[in-house]
Amino acid sequence: MAARKPVRRIVTGHDDSGRAVILFDDADAPNSFASETIPGFGATVAWFTPAGVVDHVSDEDPAPAGAKIDFPAVGETVVRIADFPPDEVYPDDAGDAVFDEIGAHEERDAGSEHSAGKHFWFHRTESIDYAVVLEGEITLLVDDGEVTMTAGDVAIQRATAHAWSNRTNATARVLFVLVGTDPISPAEIAARRTDVKAVEPA
């Protein structure tokens, strides 16, 4: 499978007079990785913001080459472009391979409660994620249901256990904007939903 396509990144900023300028125009954003064990799998972080006040003043790059940027903590945001190769190219131990690569075994464990092992990509994060398919086709699976998305489709993933399955023979590219949210377990969500329904008028 061919090498990952580059991700061009354009970032605006200000000069010392307060005029808007193009701060970065990278032919390939520097915070990128391509898997050495899963052909075609990789991701690029285009930008990151820590919790609190967002910096519009400095020229600092919060997503430089080599920086380890995981799933966001509360109040953090991550812009990530991920490439998902066809499911058939993943190794037999796909789940271990994927989560070893991205260092997310805790998220994998959190997503396994109700998924019954139906796909190796199942995971859960404490975040709200906006996922936009840029190229190709990919299927979003949740504990109970699935939907196939194509270029231009948007999914809003609300701290649910989920997986991404590419059942085609071409790589799918997806843009994610991840926003870290306060931790809440599926059990707590279920309990709160039950409480709300108990007090709703008949």
Side-chain angles (χ1 to χ4, degrees), residues 95-135:
D96 291 337
V98 164
F99 292 102
D100 282 347
E101 290 261 15
I102 65 175
H105 286 283
E106 184 176 332
E107 288 78 6
R108 178 190 186 188
D109 292 343
S112 66
E113 182 178 0
H114 301 291
S115 64
K118 64 182 175 182
H119 196 275
F120 57 82
W121 250 117
F122 258 91
H123 62 290
R124 180 181 187 268
T125 59
E126 301 288 359
S127 59
I128 184 164
D129 307 336
Y130 308 110
V132 184
V133 179
L134 301 178
E135 299 175 11

Side-chain angles (χ1 to χ4, degrees), residues 11 13 19 25 27-28 35 47 53 74 82 89-91 122 142 150 185 191:
V11 181
R19 292 175 298 188
D25 185 351
D28 195 6
S35 173
W47 203 249
V53 177
V74 178
V89 310
Y90 287 82
F122 258 91
V142 292
T150 57
S185 70

Side-chain angles (χ1 to χ4, degrees), residues 2-182:
R4 285 190 71 223
K5 287 173 48 180
V7 174
R8 185 181 179 194
R9 180 185 72 158
I10 298 142
V11 181
T12 64
H14 295 86
D15 67 13
D16 293 344
S17 299
R19 292 175 298 188
V21 297
I22 303 299
L23 184 61
F24 304 124
D25 185 351
D26 301 309
D28 195 6
N31 193 289
S32 295
F33 104 94
S35 173
E36 295 181 1
T37 59
I38 305 166
F41 174 54
T44 297
V45 173
W47 203 249
F48 166 80
T49 62
V53 177
V54 173
D55 173 20
H56 292 307
V57 177
S58 77
D59 295 343
E60 181 180 352
D61 184 352
K68 182 170 171 46
I69 300 173
D70 297 314
F71 293 107
V74 178
E76 295 179 344
T77 70
V78 177
V79 179
R80 179 178 287 124
I81 295 90
D83 290 326
F84 296 90
D87 284 4
E88 65 185 23
V89 310
Y90 287 82
D92 291 340
D93 62 342
D96 291 337
V98 164
F99 292 102
D100 282 347
E101 290 261 15
I102 65 175
H105 286 283
E106 184 176 332
E107 288 78 6
R108 178 190 186 188
D109 292 343
S112 66
E113 182 178 0
H114 301 291
S115 64
K118 64 182 175 182
H119 196 275
F120 57 82
W121 250 117
F122 258 91
H123 62 290
R124 180 181 187 268
T125 59
E126 301 288 359
S127 59
I128 184 164
D129 307 336
Y130 308 110
V132 184
V133 179
L134 301 178
E135 299 175 11
E137 176 182 301
I138 198 158
T139 299
L140 169 62
L141 294 88
V142 292
D143 292 331
D144 184 13
E146 64 177 59
V147 62
T148 297
M149 302 170 61
T150 57
D153 291 345
V154 181
I156 294 87
Q157 194 283 115
R158 302 169 59 215
T160 49
H162 65 287
W164 300 101
S165 176
N166 183 346
R167 299 165 180 172
T168 75
N169 60 5
T171 297
R173 174 164 279 193
V174 184
L175 164 71
F176 295 94
V177 179
L178 304 98
V179 182
T181 55
D182 290 322

